[in-house]
Amino acid sequence: MAIECSVRIRRIPGYPAAGGDAHDAPLVRLASNESPFPPLGAVREAIEHALISLNRYPDPSNSLLRRRLSERYGVPISRIAIGNGSCDILLAAGEALLEPGAELVYAWPSFSIYPHLSASSGARAVTVALDESERHDLPAMLREITVATRLVIVCNPNNPTSTALPLSSIADFLAEVPPQVCVVVDEAYCEFNQLDDPETSVAMLEEHPNLVLLRTFSKVHGLCGLRVGFALCGSSRLPEALDQVRQPFFCNALAQAAATEALAHEDAVIDRVTRTVAERISMQERLAALGIEVADSQANFCWLHLAEDCDEAEIMRGLQERGVLVRGGRALGSQAPALRVTCGLPGENERFLAALAEVLAPATTR
Ligand SMILES: *Cc1c(COP(=O)(O)O)cnc(C)c1O
């Protein structure tokens, strides 16, 4: 007889794995929005240096990393939270803010972790459809806020649709949200967003104590294998609450050392962003030339719509047979066949585009 689990286990959706870990051929990994660039030399050195003291527990208050983030963003240390990846901060925020009877508002399709927050807490999830350009519909989200709402999540740029809203619309939205409702703006991809400078949202924290900007070292810094993210908050209330619900040593010593060092190499980050954005623009143009509808990406990935009569699973299989891993849209909440494709190195994108053209060819000549 199987062990008996809590009821909430039945509500929590499983995260679809990208697959491909068992292959040994060189795969083109464009399924998880990872950075194609390996960690910087100086970051690797910082990790090696930290290895010597692994017999000690990590700093539970992440003081050096928070100090550097505070210097970098001009946000007081008490208003900065660290997490074992930014997903850890999201899940802990769910635990700290939600409970049965409470409500959570987010757009859909959006980041696949958000449904976990309601499922694990027993709160009610209110999902709001994206608008026709696949952006968050903030006026509609505002209409869903009730006295029971504790948390609203805005993913900007949005995963999986890659689109972003101008920060001015988010500012207008924040002006209307009741002050007791926490608004998390998930900015995992903000460095790739060309609509606004990522510093602009930081300035909004001064006016909105209920605002939380969620950032990560996983994407632009290429450290997703280590797990470290952070939140810049409008007040110290959420960082304090997060510490209450989590284990003390949630961020390991290597992650703290690597993230701290990564912050000292802004020039390299800018260079990588420039290269990724150039690839994104080229990929969008070449997809459009194949007759494929592509969303206006402001992230390090593209979101493409396949023809309505297209079998998404078959396209994925065809790409996989050619050694290219991407993410299918249906598993990410899309009603119509779609693909989410990370912008990799030029050669990787080349392989993806060639494979896609091949896989689509029989369908178009049919
Ligand atoms: C990748 C991603 C994150 C980052 O998750 P980590 O736990 O920091 O690796 C957060 N939000 C969104 C929308 C993402 O796509």
Side-chain angles (χ1 to χ4, degrees):
M1 199 147 112
I3 56 167
E4 216 174 315
C5 292
S6 70
V7 272
R8 69 180 202 151
I9 285 299
R10 268 174 263 148
R11 295 194 304 252
I12 299 176
Y15 183 73
D21 281 333
H23 290 250
D24 29 54
L27 286 170
V28 177
R29 296 173 182 275
L30 305 178
S32 300
N33 299 345
E34 295 152 338
S35 171
F37 308 109
L40 300 171
V43 170
R44 284 206 300 269
E45 275 166 36
I47 294 168
E48 264 172 46
H49 183 72
L51 288 173
I52 311 162
S53 35
L54 285 187
N55 55 314
R56 303 292 174 194
Y57 277 105
D59 171 6
S61 53
N62 304 276
S63 17
L64 186 57
L65 176 55
R66 284 163 76 223
R67 176 138 44 93
R68 292 282 178 269
L69 286 166
S70 173
E71 290 160 4
R72 168 72 181 76
Y73 293 104
V75 174
I77 294 173
S78 62
R79 295 206 256 125
I80 299 176
I82 305 297
N84 182 22
S86 53
C87 288
D88 173 49
I89 299 178
L90 275 168
L91 293 173
E95 226 178 299
L97 300 168
L98 303 175
E99 59 200 332
E103 292 176 0
L104 156 72
V105 179
Y106 56 88
W108 200 253
S110 194
F111 190 31
S112 49
I113 262 288
Y114 305 154
H116 288 240
L117 274 66
S118 48
S120 59
S121 63
R124 191 167 85 91
V126 180
T127 55
V128 177
L130 299 173
D131 68 14
E132 65 287 347
S133 57
E134 298 185 285
R135 290 178 174 81
H136 280 54
D137 185 345
L138 294 179
M141 289 178 76
L142 202 54
R143 289 195 292 274
E144 295 298 341
I145 296 176
T146 70
V147 288
T149 309
R150 294 265 175 82
L151 174 61
V152 179
I153 308 175
V154 176
C155 189
N156 197 58
N158 188 43
N159 179 2
T161 60
S162 76
T163 51
L165 284 174
L167 286 179
S168 56
S169 332
I170 294 180
D172 294 346
F173 173 74
L174 285 167
E176 303 293 326
V177 176
Q180 75 280 11
V181 177
C182 179
V183 179
V184 170
V185 181
D186 186 341
E187 299 192 310
Y189 303 99
C190 65
E191 295 86 355
F192 302 103
N193 181 0
Q194 302 214 291
L195 300 181
D196 283 291
D197 186 324
E199 308 300 316
T200 316
S201 51
V202 179
M204 301 192 313
L205 290 170
E206 299 316 309
E207 279 167 67
H208 300 286
N210 58 335
L211 175 62
V212 173
L213 304 176
L214 196 62
R215 306 250 176 128
T216 180
F217 285 92
S218 291
K219 305 287 155 66
V220 83
H221 291 286
L223 293 174
C224 59
L226 272 178
R227 316 302 303 124
V228 51
F230 61 101
L232 303 172
C233 306
S235 84
S236 58
R237 189 69 195 97
L238 189 72
E240 285 160 12
L242 295 176
D243 283 346
Q244 283 180 277
V245 297
R246 290 184 296 182
Q247 58 146 327
F249 305 107
F250 52 79
C251 186
N252 73 76
L254 303 184
Q256 290 187 42
T260 304
E261 184 61 34
L263 286 174
H265 303 277
E266 201 67 26
D267 45 348
V269 171
I270 292 168
D271 175 57
R272 290 172 166 201
V273 167
T274 307
R275 288 156 72 184
T276 301
V277 169
E279 281 307 304
R280 174 178 89 202
I281 292 168
S282 149
M283 198 144 126
Q284 283 186 304
E285 282 169 2
R286 296 172 67 182
L287 286 166
L290 287 175
I292 295 166
E293 194 193 319
V294 201
D296 176 19
S297 175
Q298 296 297 336
N300 68 341
F301 59 93
C302 291
W303 175 247
L304 33 138
H305 293 278
L306 302 169
E308 279 294 338
D309 61 348
C310 210
D311 184 342
E312 180 191 290
E314 204 171 307
I315 302 289
M316 297 272 294
R317 227 175 358 260
L319 291 173
Q320 195 154 356
E321 279 164 13
R322 289 160 180 79
V324 179
L325 300 180
V326 304
R327 203 58 97 143
R330 291 201 189 273
L332 301 173
S334 177
Q335 299 289 322
L339 297 177
R340 192 194 69 188
V341 186
T342 308
C343 305
L345 297 172
E348 296 176 315
N349 302 334
E350 209 66 59
R351 273 188 62 192
F352 157 67
L353 287 160
L356 184 67
E358 264 179 42
V359 173
L360 290 177
T364 47
T365 54
R366 194 171 46 206

